[in-house]
Each structure stands twice: as structure tokens, then as C-alpha cells.
Amino acid sequence: MKTINIFGVTGSVGLSSVKVLKQHQDKFSVNAITGGNNVELLAKLAVELNAKYAVIANETKFETLKSLLSGTDIKIDCGKGGLLRAAEQEVDICLAAIVGYAGLKPTMRSLKYAKRVALANKECLVAAGELFIAEAKKHGCEILPVDSEHSAMFQCLQGSQNKQMEKILLTASGGPFRRYTMDEMRHITLKQALKHPNWNMGAKITIDSATMMNKGNELIEAFYLFPVSLEQIEVVVHKQSIIHSMIQYCDGSIIAQLGAPEMGTAIAYAIGWPNRLELDFKRLDLFEIAELSFEKPDEKRFKCLSLSKYAVKQGGTCATVLNAANEVAVDAFLKNKISFLNIADICEETINKAQSKNIIVNASELNDICEVDTMARQIAMTLF
Ligand code: NDP
Ligand code: MG
């Protein structure tokens, strides 16, 4: 039996992981689960999964959690401190599926106490890539990717030597606006942006997919997870989302991983590796798919992608700034305060302003990242 913590259990990835775990109850024992606001779902899942601890991040929901779980022996906790205390429990695996920067501190803390972090919360690597990887190395914690593209890369690298890898081909669906003209993009509504053509995900990542910031984030994620330079990562728009990514080797051979657009397989691989867990999800029907297509991304219309590359080239906390600006902008877009194209503009302008204020630095500890994140958010908020 492996012990597992699930951070962000009430979200899209969290709930997909619950489906996987329910098919393998003989192999995993659930320790702590955490939610942000959805206290009813958290309590329900705690009982269903026979979890030992349930933590609600929003402290105002603590009394409700207490009454929902009274009469059970499930221990409860709340707030940012509660998330950190959950991270400090020694487990075999911590599935990190909180969305955004909010997940950085608890996930970083888990690197010390968990043997493996199954990482969905990609913003950890965007905001604090270097420190995050160094911390994992320091404690001998394995990071297994849950993001489907990075799971694909990891799967395609099995049985091979990293140094024989020539290039990563990072696939992208292109999102709902792949074929929109710049003029059409000026009139994109929130409702349109929240409708991803292939994937069913949380709100933030759905908007990130529409702006292609998600692909930019994944580029940064790949840069930190695998031994490659920025030039060795190529984004390939593949609208069907069937090939989850590919590795090109030094002999010209390209290995791809294919699957249906659902997260179960990647989650199962991250928690089961080096084994594959049996899953009863619907199998891919290649005859139904019939065709796979590929095209180059348009970085003029999807400026977020080029901003991510720029942030990697700049180094230091440039990607921390980008991540903070994007989180502020996406939140504003979700509240109908700004337009779709404003998101990329705010990201670009925040980086410019951060540079002129010299707040892009080399972070030597998590506190540096936190300070830069706070300052970048303040800048971004003045831009709308
Ligand atoms: P969701 O928005 O569906 O879920 C986010 C989870 O985080 C929920 O459990 C939510 O709690 C919790 N949460 C939100 N804010 C806080 C906070 N301040 N403190 C603590 N917990 C919080 O997101 P997704 O599941 O879509 O995404 C999770 C992560 O996985 C993201 O980083 C995303 O980029 C990544 N990812 C997602 C994929 C997908 O298919 N969805 C694919 C690949 C990567 P509650 O709902 O109770 O408020
Ligand atoms: Mg992905």
C-alpha cells in the first residue's frame, strides 16, 4: 500500500485522480486531502476515500467542515498553515493539483516529506523552477509529471538515454481561437474562451489554453523537468489533442505517446510508475479519429507563447513576474473586467515595468520569489 496526499482534490485534476484511485483501492491509502472553497465536496470525498485528514484552505469554511465530518475520525485543519501541515506528513506520494501560485508553498514543502510529487500544479515550475528543482534534488524527491504533455515526454523517454534526445515536440491543441483573425480576437467573450474544443478542465487553465499561455507555461515546465535548452523545445499545434507530445532522438526517430484527451492515464502513470495501472477509461478509436494534423503556432496572435520564451531567456524571476501578471489578468478576465487580448498585454507590460523597476532578480530562496510575485501583482493591477 502506498500512502498518498491529494492537494486540490476538489478540482478537475483532483476529481480525475479520485476516479483512478477508486479503481485501485488495494494499492493506495489516502492520507490528507485538501480543497480551496468547496467544503461540501471535500467532506464527501474525505468519507468516500477513507482519508485521514481533510484540509480546507478557506478558513471561513472550517466550522462547516467540522460539522460535516463530526462523528467520523477524520482529522481536520484549515488555512495556509493547514496546507503546510498536511504537506509535512510523510507519504509516498503527494499529488499536487492546486491551481496557480497558491499551490507553490505547500507543494514545495512536500518535496521534503513525500518520496514522490506527482505534479499537476505547473505554476510551481513557472514561478520558481530553479528553486523547486533544487529543493527536490536536495531531498531526493522524485517529480513525476501529471501534465499530459510532460507525461507523454516522460513515457517517450523510458528506456532511452536523455543525452540521445535531440528535441522535445510539445503538442498544443491551439485552443478555441486557433483560426481567429486578430480582428475576431478583439471580440472574444468569456463564454467562448471557457469552451475548450478537446479538454474539460478548471477555469484558469481553460483560459490559459485559449491565450496559449498554457503552452508557454508548459514550455517552461519542460525546460525544468528535462535536460534540454529552450531551443530544443518546439511547439507543434496539433488540433486533435491525440498525440500528447513527442521526443525526437539523435538518429531522427520520433517517439510519440497517444491517448484520449483525459487526465486519468497521465495521473495513473505518475502515481503508478514504473508500473502501469489498469484503467477502464474508453480506449482511443484511431478509425474514428482518422486524421492527425500539425501546424506551426502563430506567436503574433498568441503573444503569451513568445512572452514565455522571453522569460526563460531572461532568467531570474522573469517567469515569476509573468506568472503573477497572468494570474491577475486571467482573474480579471474571468470577472469580465478586461478583454481577452488585454491578458497578453498586461503580461507584457508587467514584465516591462518590472524590468524598469529592477525587480527581476536571481532568487536564492522562496522568500525572494514571494516578494517578486507580490510586486508583480501590484504592477499588473495598476494596468486595468
Ligand atoms: P481547478 O480549478 O479545477 O481546481 C483547483 C483546485 O485547487 C481545487 O481543488 C481548488 O479548490 C483548489 N484551490 C484553488 N485555490 C486555492 C487556494 N488558494 N488554496 C488552496 N487550494 C486552492 O483546476 P484544475 O484541476 O484544472 O488544475 C489544477 C492544476 O493542474 C493547475 O495548475 C493546472 O494548470 C494543472 N493541470 C490541469 C489539467 C486539467 O486537465 N484540468 C491538465 C494539466 C495540468 P476548490 O475548488 O475547493 O475551491
Ligand atoms: Mg497540458
Side-chain angles (χ1 to χ4, degrees):
M1 277 286 222
K2 293 240 155 91
T3 50
I4 184 165
N5 283 347
I6 312 169
F7 286 2
V9 72
T10 50
S12 164
V13 171
L15 291 172
S16 295
S17 77
V18 169
K19 278 193 203 151
V20 171
L21 289 172
K22 281 189 178 161
Q23 292 180 42
H24 292 280
Q25 276 166 337
D26 53 327
K27 298 186 190 73
F28 299 95
S29 147
V30 177
N31 183 58
I33 60 173
T34 82
N37 276 300
N38 196 341
V39 68
E40 285 79 16
L41 182 56
L42 178 71
K44 180 173 163 276
L45 292 170
V47 173
E48 272 177 34
L49 294 166
N50 202 13
K52 295 200 172 55
Y53 298 85
V55 184
I56 189 81
N58 182 341
E59 293 175 352
T60 67
K61 306 274 171 100
F62 186 63
E63 288 305 317
T64 316
L65 183 64
K66 200 186 255 179
S67 66
L68 286 168
L69 290 177
S70 69
T72 71
D73 54 8
I74 301 167
K75 296 194 182 90
I76 55 172
D77 205 337
C78 69
K80 288 180 182 163
L83 293 177
L84 292 177
R85 285 184 285 277
E88 284 168 6
Q89 290 165 27
E90 288 185 4
V91 283
D92 292 304
I93 303 166
C94 174
L95 177 73
I98 292 176
V99 59
Y101 183 82
L104 177 60
K105 279 191 183 169
T107 308
M108 192 99 164
R109 187 66 60 90
S110 321
L111 295 170
K112 186 169 172 189
Y113 298 92
K115 292 190 185 119
R116 172 182 302 180
V117 164
L119 186 69
N121 189 188
K122 63 189 96 184
E123 293 89 350
C124 292
L125 288 174
V126 179
E130 237 167 88
L131 288 181
F132 194 86
I133 296 294
E135 187 73 4
K137 283 208 177 114
K138 182 171 153 195
H139 301 293
C141 179
E142 301 171 321
I143 302 176
L144 272 276
V146 168
D147 211 348
S148 58
E149 292 78 1
H150 306 74
S151 172
M153 295 165 200
F154 185 66
Q155 293 184 50
C156 295
L157 279 163
Q158 297 299 302
S160 303
Q161 290 171 12
N162 280 343
K163 65 176 193 293
Q164 296 182 330
M165 165 168 49
E166 195 167 78
K167 195 171 174 181
I168 287 174
L169 296 164
L170 168 60
T171 53
S173 71
F177 312 123
R178 185 174 53 88
R179 283 287 159 89
Y180 274 44
T181 62
M182 206 59 199
D183 201 41
E184 286 168 331
M185 286 176 84
R186 280 184 243 286
H187 309 291
I188 288 169
T189 64
L190 177 58
K191 199 172 158 210
Q192 287 172 316
L194 280 172
K195 212 177 157 344
H196 194 279
N198 306 335
W199 294 88
N200 192 357
M201 311 178 286
K204 193 244 173 195
I205 187 176
T206 303
I207 302 303
D208 284 348
S209 300
T211 59
M212 287 196 82
M213 180 55 91
N214 183 49
K215 216 40 63 179
N217 285 343
E218 291 184 353
L219 190 131
I220 299 175
E221 189 183 2
F223 177 77
Y224 285 113
L225 287 176
F226 302 103
V228 287
S229 64
L230 183 62
E231 293 69 34
Q232 282 174 293
I233 309 172
E234 179 158 21
V235 175
V236 180
V237 176
H238 163 54
K239 66 176 183 200
Q240 297 86 0
S241 297
I242 296 299
I243 295 180
H244 295 321
S245 275
M246 301 168 255
I247 300 290
Q248 180 173 313
Y249 284 96
C250 60
D251 59 356
S253 187
I254 294 176
I255 313 276
Q257 187 261 343
L258 286 73
E262 55 78 34
M263 290 303 294
T265 308
I267 292 166
Y269 199 72
I271 64 173
W273 183 84
N275 294 318
R276 283 189 183 272
L277 304 178
E278 252 175 63
L279 291 176
D280 66 3
F281 293 111
K282 188 173 173 278
R283 298 308 189 236
L284 194 61
D285 183 345
L286 287 175
F287 300 106
E288 206 176 284
I289 294 152
E291 277 178 20
L292 299 178
S293 61
F294 308 97
E295 55 192 90
K296 275 196 189 294
D298 180 349
E299 293 186 19
K300 285 212 180 73
R301 281 184 303 128
F302 296 98
K303 199 162 59 173
C304 291
L305 193 50
S306 60
L307 289 176
S308 305
K309 290 184 185 168
Y310 178 79
V312 175
K313 279 187 204 142
Q314 290 299 302
T317 49
C318 193
T320 316
V321 170
L322 176 59
N323 181 67
N326 182 54
E327 289 194 14
V328 169
V330 170
D331 185 59
F333 178 68
L334 286 170
K335 292 176 176 148
N336 270 315
K337 290 184 186 163
I338 60 168
S339 75
F340 182 77
L341 288 178
N342 283 158
I343 299 174
D345 292 340
I346 288 171
C347 290
E348 188 175 31
E349 198 49 32
T350 305
I351 291 180
N352 290 341
K353 288 214 153 62
Q355 276 169 332
S356 63
K357 291 184 177 181
N358 288 322
I359 66 165
I360 293 178
V361 293
N362 280 322
S364 50
E365 54 178 30
L366 193 53
N367 259 347
D368 300 338
I369 302 281
C370 298
E371 277 173 20
V372 171
D373 173 81
T374 305
M375 288 188 283
R377 279 170 202 268
Q378 284 163 354
I379 297 173
M381 277 188 282
T382 63
L383 300 174
F384 58 91

